Amino acid sequence: NEQGLYLSSLLSDRVSPKQKHSDVLRAIRHVRRALPLDIHFKHIYGHQDDTTSYANLERSVQLNIDCDLLAKAGLKRFHKQRHIPPEVLPHETVIIRVRGIKVLGAIGPPLRNEVSRLNMRQFLASKGRLSLQGFDEVDWDAMEVKMASTPDQHRIWITKHVSGFCGTNHMLNKRSSSNSTICPCCKDPDIIENTLHQLHCKDLQRVELWENSVKSLKKWLTFKQTSPLLLIGIIRYVSGKGVDTYSCVENNTHDLRILSVSQDMIGWNNFMEGKISKRFQMIQQQHYLDIDSKFSSHKWSSDLISRLLLMIHKQWIHRNNVVHKRRKDGLKHKEGIKVKRKIEALCAEGENMLEPEDQYLMDAPLECIQEWDGIKKKIWIRSVEAAKAVKRMRYTEKTAPTLPFPNHPFPCTESRNHTQVEQQRKRKYARYGSRKMVRKKTKHYHL
């Protein structure tokens, strides 16, 4: 493009380390300075032969078209012959590699990624989530491409799920011990609902949803012209839910056996979270070359990660629908359970806790009250609690002791003899004089 033409025309050999394709620009400038010629750059629009005959075009335009055709033919020949692309350009004097991979653009991001990779490698191994050998087998490049193309909100959910910080009952119980750890779908009392349980829940609706997700994954793999051996292996591995290792899948070739060992180091749970083996991409790339397909194996790997994470996300959405959906009475599931328990507790106390004029609230049986709508249930609960408060207040008034000053704003809590109080008041007045003097001297005393 015109920007690349301008950057190539500069005489300085120094290229900014943040510049994309800095190695190509540096090589062009080096060759230009070495030639004993004055080179002038001119921008020529491409594909002009689409609207004008080749013979009627200028010589510079014809040369541009010829170069374009020769470059495409060389690229096709290179792929058919399956050559390894050269990393070093002609007249390139300085090369920077990170983990053996040449840095083509800015130097900072690859270095920061490598430092973060080493820290994460040790962290996951210390937590027992992923071994050091398994970490090295993961296709982190495909994961980076997938996360870069993911919206922010979905990326936040992926991070929370992988780290175990999603709002499961296990996590909610850590915040408040009143929250139950039982799964709201399968309701198995022996299982704690965490992020790993989302894929192993035995609820019938979630099992059916999982089977439909597996069918969708198989349809996508077929559309993407996936290698038949990979397609069979992935579907069997996903359907097994970690019961069988990838080595249990039929492996007829040496590459598939290496893939099985590599994926077994990573594990099934990590596989479903997008940590797939980099051997998948290698085998798929070879398959695309064999069938002369235009699909990209790198794009296939990142899309496979998206499909696996989508299967988990569907399970999470279904779980939230169960928790937050409205029941027949209009209440949410969790709120409805609390209201139901409260009604049962109030009915168990009976009408003896109420005054005679309020006992009509207990005329309806428990089964009938549970059939009411949510608003009516809440009104009934508040009415019964208010009636109980009235009875408690009346009982307190009857049993409270007789006080010497009933209209006093702060009555004393214990019974005192009226004669003793009167004698104490007279002694205070005799000492200080009138009531006015008592207030005045008391005020001075406090000051």
Side-chain angles (χ1 to χ4, degrees):
N1 53 24
E2 296 185 16
Q3 181 66 16
L5 193 67
Y6 166 73
L7 295 174
S8 301
S9 64
L10 300 178
L11 297 177
S12 175
D13 286 340
R14 179 178 175 81
V15 180
S16 173
K18 297 182 180 180
Q19 181 63 50
K20 294 182 179 179
H21 309 294
S22 57
D23 55 340
V24 178
L25 294 173
R26 195 177 294 108
I28 292 175
R29 294 184 187 182
H30 180 77
V31 172
R32 180 168 177 265
R33 287 171 61 87
L35 292 176
L37 301 172
D38 293 334
I39 300 177
H40 301 279
F41 292 86
K42 178 183 178 182
H43 180 262
I44 298 175
Y45 289 97
H47 307 288
Q48 295 189 33
D49 55 336
D50 293 343
T51 57
T52 307
S53 175
Y54 179 84
N56 296 332
L57 296 174
E58 296 181 0
R59 180 58 180 166
S60 59
V61 179
Q62 292 178 350
L63 292 175
N64 185 53
I65 295 173
D66 294 341
C67 290
D68 189 19
L69 294 175
L70 291 174
K72 291 180 179 179
L75 183 61
K76 292 181 180 179
R77 183 173 62 254
F78 175 82
H79 281 290
K80 287 183 178 181
Q81 296 176 359
R82 301 176 182 178
H83 291 308
I84 299 176
E87 289 188 350
V88 182
L89 298 175
H91 308 284
E92 190 174 10
T93 57
V94 179
I95 299 176
I96 299 177
R97 288 187 175 92
V98 177
R99 294 176 56 203
I101 300 175
K102 180 182 176 182
V103 179
L104 302 178
I107 303 173
L111 293 177
R112 288 190 291 269
N113 289 342
E114 178 62 15
V115 173
S116 301
R117 188 190 72 85
L118 295 176
N119 294 334
M120 182 57 66
R121 184 173 183 265
Q122 295 295 332
F123 175 78
L124 293 178
S126 64
K127 294 295 184 180
R129 296 289 302 274
L130 191 61
S131 63
L132 298 177
Q133 296 80 6
F135 186 93
D136 296 334
E137 293 296 327
V138 176
D139 191 352
W140 295 110
D141 293 334
M143 176 68 76
E144 183 179 3
V145 173
K146 184 315 188 241
M147 295 299 289
S149 59
T150 303
D152 292 340
Q153 293 300 321
H154 190 59
R155 193 185 309 171
I156 292 174
W157 172 82
I158 294 174
T159 305
K160 291 172 65 177
H161 175 83
V162 173
S163 60
F165 277 85
C166 273
T168 59
N169 284 343
H170 174 64
M171 185 58 61
L172 295 178
N173 179 262
K174 289 185 176 182
R175 300 173 185 174
S176 175
S177 58
S178 61
N179 294 317
S180 173
T181 59
I182 299 176
C183 175
C185 297
C186 64
K187 297 180 177 60
D188 190 341
D190 299 329
I191 294 179
I192 297 177
E193 193 222 6
N194 50 20
T195 53
L196 295 178
H197 176 71
Q198 306 306 316
L199 298 178
H200 300 276
C201 184
K202 297 181 180 180
D203 179 65
L204 296 180
Q205 292 183 351
R206 299 188 77 171
V207 171
E208 182 180 0
L209 177 63
W210 176 261
E211 293 175 353
N212 293 334
S213 299
V214 173
K215 293 179 182 178
S216 300
L217 177 62
K218 184 177 181 181
K219 185 182 298 184
W220 176 84
L221 291 172
T222 304
F223 172 75
K224 286 295 183 178
Q225 300 178 358
T226 305
S227 171
L229 296 177
L230 287 184
L231 190 149
I232 296 174
I234 291 174
I235 295 301
R236 288 182 180 178
Y237 189 57
V238 171
S239 302
K241 289 191 173 183
V243 177
D244 298 328
T245 61
Y246 202 92
S247 302
C248 297
V249 181
E250 184 178 357
N251 301 316
N252 300 326
T253 64
H254 176 69
D255 293 337
L256 289 177
R257 285 191 290 270
I258 296 178
L259 169 63
S260 301
V261 175
S262 174
Q263 187 57 54
D264 288 341
M265 290 181 182
I266 300 173
W268 186 84
N269 288 323
N270 289 318
F271 177 81
M272 294 304 304
E273 292 176 355
K275 302 182 184 71
I276 65 174
S277 172
K278 52 189 175 184
R279 307 287 177 177
F280 282 104
Q281 186 269 331
M282 298 178 183
I283 297 176
Q284 186 61 27
Q285 183 181 16
Q286 185 65 37
H287 176 69
Y288 280 158
L289 292 175
D290 294 338
I291 64 176
D292 195 18
S293 175
K294 295 182 179 179
F295 284 130
S296 170
S297 59
H298 297 282
K299 184 69 166 57
W300 177 88
S301 298
S302 61
D303 288 348
L304 175 61
I305 294 174
S306 299
R307 290 284 171 171
L308 295 175
L309 291 172
L310 180 62
M311 296 175 68
I312 304 178
H313 193 248
K314 287 182 179 179
Q315 295 288 326
W316 179 249
I317 293 298
H318 177 81
R319 180 260 183 199
N320 289 338
N321 289 336
V322 172
V323 174
H324 301 293
K325 72 177 181 180
R326 299 284 180 176
R327 309 192 319 171
K328 292 182 179 180
D329 55 5
L331 300 176
K332 292 183 179 180
H333 180 76
K334 190 173 183 179
E335 184 184 12
I337 293 177
K338 292 182 179 180
V339 171
K340 179 181 177 181
R341 292 175 180 175
K342 186 65 177 178
I343 293 174
E344 291 175 353
L346 293 176
C347 290
E349 294 177 357
E351 60 183 13
N352 295 330
M353 299 297 295
L354 306 178
E355 291 289 336
E357 63 268 19
D358 296 327
Q359 292 181 0
Y360 72 93
L361 294 171
M362 293 296 182
D363 292 344
L366 176 61
E367 294 77 9
C368 181
I369 297 176
Q370 297 291 6
E371 295 295 330
W372 292 348
D373 60 87
I375 298 178
K376 191 174 180 180
K377 289 179 181 179
K378 291 182 179 180
I379 295 175
W380 183 85
I381 291 174
R382 293 178 181 178
S383 300
V384 174
E385 290 179 343
K388 289 175 58 179
V390 169
K391 184 169 184 177
R392 284 196 303 268
M393 182 179 65
R394 292 180 179 177
Y395 176 79
T396 304
E397 292 176 353
K398 290 180 181 179
T399 58
T402 305
L403 300 178
F405 307 108
N407 297 327
H408 197 278
F410 302 103
C412 57
T413 57
E414 59 183 11
S415 177
R416 299 181 62 184
N417 191 341
H418 179 70
T419 305
Q420 294 177 356
V421 174
E422 187 65 22
Q423 291 177 356
Q424 182 180 1
R425 184 174 63 83
K426 289 181 178 180
R427 286 196 299 269
K428 185 182 296 185
Y429 287 163
R431 182 178 180 182
Y432 294 105
S434 63
R435 183 184 298 268
K436 184 176 181 181
M437 184 60 68
V438 170
R439 294 178 181 175
K440 183 177 181 181
K441 290 190 177 183
T442 304
K443 181 176 180 182
H444 285 291
Y445 173 76
H446 286 295
L447 288 176

